[in-house]
Amino acid sequence: MILSILALLGGIIVLTVAADRAVDAAEDVSKQLGISPVIVGALVVGLGTSLPEMVVSGIAAAQRDTIDLATSNIIGSNLANITVALGIAALITHVTAPREVFFREGGIMLVATVLFGGFALNGRLEQWHGMILLLVMIGAAIMIALDGSAETTPRIVAVDRRKVSQAFLTALIALIGVIIGAQLLVIGAIDIAEELGASEALIGLTIVSIGTSLPEIATAVAAARRGSVELVIGNVFGSNIFNALAVGGIAAILGTGEIDETTNASLWLMMGVSATVLTIGLVGRGYRRSAGIAFLLAYPIILVLAA
């Protein structure tokens, strides 16, 4: 129990410090290159914070006879990202971005979510599903990058390549720290929960689903505290895009198999909640504290409905 508590506390410390450094580095990259923080958040930070889902889902799909665990992990992580991560960030500050960001990154997120959900609702993921998801992921990344280059602010002073390289390296190391911190926290929390007699189902629905989303949550909170609201949007939307397309694609290729019908409800919830959160962002030009409270209150209800 003592080791579990130490792992839990150590994970929280590493996660918090690393998330702060990741946000600092992401801001440095966007400033040096004159690129919108949304683009950096969606492509660089979004990919980095989705690595835990990619590893967990890939291993689960390859080693099990069914793809249920991988699918549930993607669903749970996406739901946690757009309710918990976005909700906490909105409590800290008004999370807003230009309207075109919601149409572009938000629209891509919704299409990615519906595409993955549509394939999974068939009751089986095939390798060709995975290939399509990965191809769409490549197309989405190119689209975001091209839009980002079009928005790049013209620079009078030449880019300092050394500073850019240092910022990228710092971001990479910080994201690795975020992932390590998240894993320590999850391991410690699961051990403590088991010691206290909590059921495996309860642990899976709460600790594990939140656990793989901790990098997104920590990064979103750190960005919100620093006022980098566009980075929050890019991170959350970008992570969900990577989860649905890249993680879903890899899982489908490595672990073709049947999906239990009980997963259907959570798939519909994932698509419905994604559409609702995006609509709120479009109508309200972002997410205020009231939206953050609503998202956080909705999360436990969603878990109950998805169970």
Side-chain angles (χ1 to χ4, degrees):
M1 178 69 82
I2 294 177
L3 289 176
S4 299
I5 294 174
L6 289 175
L8 183 69
L9 295 176
I12 292 173
I13 294 171
V14 172
L15 192 61
T16 303
V17 174
D20 276 337
R21 295 301 301 138
V23 171
D24 279 343
E27 288 180 335
D28 287 343
V29 170
S30 66
K31 288 177 182 177
Q32 284 291 322
L33 298 180
I35 298 174
S36 166
V38 174
I39 308 302
V40 177
L43 293 181
V44 180
V45 183
L47 171 61
T49 54
S50 288
L51 287 178
E53 288 91 341
M54 193 174 294
V55 173
V56 171
S57 295
I59 292 174
Q63 293 182 347
R64 297 173 67 88
D65 294 332
T66 69
I67 202 171
D68 283 327
L69 183 57
T71 303
S72 297
N73 183 45
I74 294 169
I75 295 169
S77 295
N78 276 17
L79 286 171
N81 289 345
I82 55 178
T83 54
V84 180
L86 205 51
I88 296 176
L91 288 182
I92 297 171
T93 186
H94 179 201
V95 179
T96 186
R99 199 173 186 84
E100 56 267 23
V101 169
F102 290 98
F103 280 110
R104 185 179 59 225
E105 278 77 17
I108 293 173
M109 178 197 71
L110 186 58
V111 169
T113 303
V114 171
L115 182 61
F116 171 76
F119 283 153
L121 281 171
N122 287 325
R124 183 179 180 84
L125 283 179
E126 303 284 358
Q127 288 186 336
W128 68 269
H129 290 152
M131 293 176 185
I132 290 177
L133 290 172
L134 290 179
L135 286 173
V136 175
M137 178 70 252
I138 294 172
I142 292 173
M143 185 184 301
I144 293 172
L146 288 177
D147 284 337
S149 64
E151 294 175 3
T152 300
T153 304
R155 300 182 61 84
I156 299 175
V157 181
V159 174
D160 189 330
R161 295 180 181 276
R162 184 178 59 83
K163 288 185 178 180
V164 173
S165 298
Q166 288 179 343
F168 267 112
L169 181 60
T170 301
L172 177 61
I173 295 172
L175 286 171
I176 292 173
V178 167
I179 293 168
I180 292 173
Q183 294 309 304
L184 283 173
L185 197 156
V186 171
I187 291 170
I190 289 176
D191 287 344
I192 292 171
E194 289 177 345
E195 287 285 341
L196 297 175
S199 68
E200 185 175 335
L202 180 61
I203 294 171
L205 280 172
T206 55
I207 299 172
V208 175
S209 65
I210 283 285
T212 53
S213 291
L214 279 175
E216 287 90 341
I217 295 170
T219 304
V221 169
R225 284 175 47 237
R226 296 173 182 275
S228 301
V229 291
E230 291 189 16
L231 189 61
V232 174
I233 297 288
N235 177 35
V236 172
F237 287 178
S239 181
N240 278 21
I241 291 169
F242 277 106
N243 285 347
L245 298 178
V247 180
I250 290 172
I253 290 173
L254 294 179
T256 299
E258 302 287 340
I259 299 174
D260 196 289
E261 289 185 3
T262 56
T263 307
N264 287 356
S266 58
L267 284 166
W268 283 112
L269 279 169
M270 176 184 66
M271 292 185 285
V273 172
S274 297
T276 301
V277 169
L278 179 57
T279 301
I280 291 173
L282 280 168
V283 174
R285 299 292 182 89
Y287 307 99
R288 298 184 182 275
R289 183 168 295 174
S290 57
I293 293 172
F295 292 163
L296 292 173
L297 290 176
Y299 182 67
I301 298 173
I302 291 170
L303 284 182
V304 172
L305 294 174

